[in-house]
């Protein structure tokens, strides 16, 4: 794994990526507006990077984008990898390890998620305060490389308080509704049954999605402060569940993207 991280990082550096300070992961339907913020971006398709998987979900673009935003050097993933695509947990989190190796100091994550909190509505945003890992595997399973992090990483505060505090202040100032809650990560790719939504809400989750948790585990393992925002794309009320429509999920994500972009661009300015 160490060799893979090194080779991928070396290649990305050879393409002109110099000391990125901030990493960004753009989730489903969220990869369009944010990337327009880049000045003179360099684009590096995943399929050119040694050891990187290839995004197999057709609506996920598959490339790294590097450039300046608000005077900061930012490296963004336009499209991410999911466990349900068939890759290992180590493969889907390789980009987080590579970002750390390249010098990234803060990681800003986004995703599309189902909304189980009936006080909120689809189209709104949720700042992830904590998570529950219900994915069937863990990116830290297997040999632990002490140079990367410890065998038993602490998870008492997986989302950096300093970043969350800034995001809440920015949202308030910009009058953007930013709910705060718990995200549960499941494998997918199917959406949940009514009984599953009821269960997931009862165990303490407000939003459910198929990503983010492995990336956050690795970020914590490797000492990379991170934050994550879910775009709530569908209402998951078990007593009134409408059939899921992936096109609508993408459409809702696209509509909420402007708010997410505003928050992250301002956060980048303040970092
Ligand atoms: N469940 C799981 N993942 C999701 C959902 C959902 O309802 N909506 C968007 N991603």
């Amino acid at each position: 794994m160490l060799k893979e991280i090194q080779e991928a990082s070396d290649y990305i550096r050879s393409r002109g990526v110099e000391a990125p300070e901030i990493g960004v992961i753009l989730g489903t339907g969220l990869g369009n507006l944010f990337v327009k913020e880049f000045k003179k971006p360099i684009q590096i398709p995943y399929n050119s990077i040694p050891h990187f998987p290839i995004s197999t979900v057709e609506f996920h673009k598959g490339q790294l984008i590097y450039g300046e935003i608000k005077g900061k050097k930012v490296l963004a993933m336009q499209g991410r990898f999911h466990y349900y695509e068939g890759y290992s947990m180590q493969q889907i989190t390789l980009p987080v390890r590579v970002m750390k190796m390249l010098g990234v100091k803060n990681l800003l994550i986004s995703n599309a998620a189902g909304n189980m909190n009936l006080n909120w509505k689809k189209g709104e945003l949720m700042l992830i305060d904590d998570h529950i890992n219900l994915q069937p595997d863990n990116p830290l399973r297997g040999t632990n490389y002490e140079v990367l992090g410890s065998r038993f990483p602490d998870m008492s505060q997986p989302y950096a308080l300093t970043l969350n505090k800034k995001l809440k202040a920015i949202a308030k100032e910009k009058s953007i509704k930013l709910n705060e809650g718990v995200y549960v990560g499941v494998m997918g790719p199917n959406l949940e049954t009514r009984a599953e939504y009821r269960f997931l809400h009862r165990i303490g989750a407000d939003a459910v999605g198929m990503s983010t948790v492995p990336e956050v585990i690795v970020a914590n393992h490797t000492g990379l402060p991170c934050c994550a925002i879910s775009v709530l794309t569908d209402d998951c009320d078990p007593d009134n569940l409408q059939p899921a429509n992936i096109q609508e999920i993408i459409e809702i994500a696209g509509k909420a993207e402007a708010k997410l972009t505003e928050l992250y661009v301002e956060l980048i300015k303040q970092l």
Side-chain angles (χ1 to χ4, degrees), residues 18 51 91-92 98 120 143 174 177 216 220 228 260 262:
E18 288 161 19
H51 312 296
Q91 282 177 299
I92 64 171
V98 168
W120 308 339
T143 306
K174 293 186 177 293
K177 184 163 193 249
V216 171
N220 276 266
L260 177 84
E262 246 191 281

Side-chain angles (χ1 to χ4, degrees), residues 16 19 29 31 49 55 61-62 66 78 91 98 100 106 113 153 168 230 243 259:
I49 306 172
S55 230
K61 294 228 174 72
Y66 170 76
Q78 193 177 23
Q91 282 177 299
V98 168
K100 170 76 176 180
N106 287 289
K168 284 190 268 185
S230 293
K259 295 187 283 186

Side-chain angles (χ1 to χ4, degrees), residues 71-89:
K72 306 278 164 55
K73 290 176 176 151
V74 178
L75 182 61
M77 291 182 72
Q78 193 177 23
R80 62 144 62 81
F81 308 113
H82 305 81
Y83 189 69
Y84 65 71
E85 292 175 84
Y87 297 115
S88 72
M89 284 281 174

